[in-house]
Amino acid sequence: YLGDPYVVARELANTPDYYISHASAMALHQMVTQPQLAVFVTSSKAIRPRTVLGTEFRFVRCKPAGLFGIAEHWATKTERVRVSDLERTVIDGLKQPEHCGGFTEVAKAFWMRRDAISPSRLIDYALRLDVGAVVRRLGFLLETFEVPAATEIERLRPSLTSSYALVDPLLPAEGPYQARWGLRLNVEP
């Protein structure tokens, strides 16, 4: 018997600098429509993926400065684990959609919990992470879903560069270019 997979993930990480992330955090925050087959953990140290009693554990490395937006979650009645908060979960999904099932899954997750997500905190996290593709995808996502935060969204614009990024890096590089956010729209809005 494996026990709670999130507690196992915490023990495998074996560091206080970790958090349950990506698709696993989406599952904990009830932002998914499909069952999750792997447990994703972000850590400041490199850890090889492992399979324990049929459960796959995948580790994503990040810099120590990238460990923010983390909350405590009761995995069992006696065990707590660290998990990304709602906003950080969306930002992680925008940064690495491949760990969440693609951009469309991240967009669905955002839509499912849109009333609980703070647009200003999302923007703060995106600017703090300072990854161009995240800023572009977030601006596009917020405008596509008509989130009423126009002045907040404009905070993203100064950090844009002249390059273009794919909306979903998992899909082929095709589709029209959108100059406003510097994106190639390889996903239908």
Side-chain angles (χ1 to χ4, degrees), residues 1 29 37 69 105 125 133 136:
Y1 173 66
H29 291 303
L37 304 174
E105 288 300 314
Y125 286 0
R136 296 170 199 292

Side-chain angles (χ1 to χ4, degrees), residues 16-91:
D17 293 342
Y18 84 96
Y19 62 94
I20 307 297
S21 63
H22 298 88
S24 301
M26 287 168 57
L28 284 172
H29 291 303
Q30 296 161 356
M31 302 167 84
V32 293
T33 56
Q34 302 169 8
Q36 300 307 307
L37 304 174
V39 176
F40 286 91
V41 181
T42 295
S43 171
S44 61
K45 67 180 189 178
I47 305 170
R48 291 179 33 208
R50 294 195 201 146
T51 301
V52 178
L53 294 176
T55 301
E56 186 179 354
F57 294 89
R58 295 189 198 158
F59 297 89
V60 180
R61 188 167 184 207
C62 83
K63 296 176 182 157
L67 293 167
F68 61 87
I70 301 169
E72 293 278 323
H73 173 79
W74 286 98
T76 69
K77 290 180 180 179
T78 58
E79 299 282 350
R80 288 191 299 192
V81 295
R82 295 165 53 101
V83 63
S84 55
D85 63 22
L86 277 170
E87 292 81 8
R88 180 59 196 256
T89 301
V90 172
I91 294 298

Side-chain angles (χ1 to χ4, degrees), residues 130-188:
D130 195 29
V131 174
V134 172
V135 170
R136 296 170 199 292
R137 292 175 187 141
L138 178 60
F140 175 73
L141 184 74
L142 294 174
E143 285 188 350
T144 300
F145 286 140
E146 299 174 352
V147 173
T151 54
E152 288 289 321
I153 293 170
E154 285 304 312
R155 287 178 32 213
L156 294 170
R157 304 222 18 97
S159 61
L160 295 176
T161 61
S162 61
S163 63
Y164 280 78
L166 291 170
V167 172
D168 192 334
L170 298 179
L171 298 177
E174 56 192 28
Y177 291 90
Q178 189 217 43
R180 176 158 172 77
W181 290 107
L183 286 169
R184 186 151 190 199
L185 305 180
N186 62 345
V187 173
E188 286 293 316

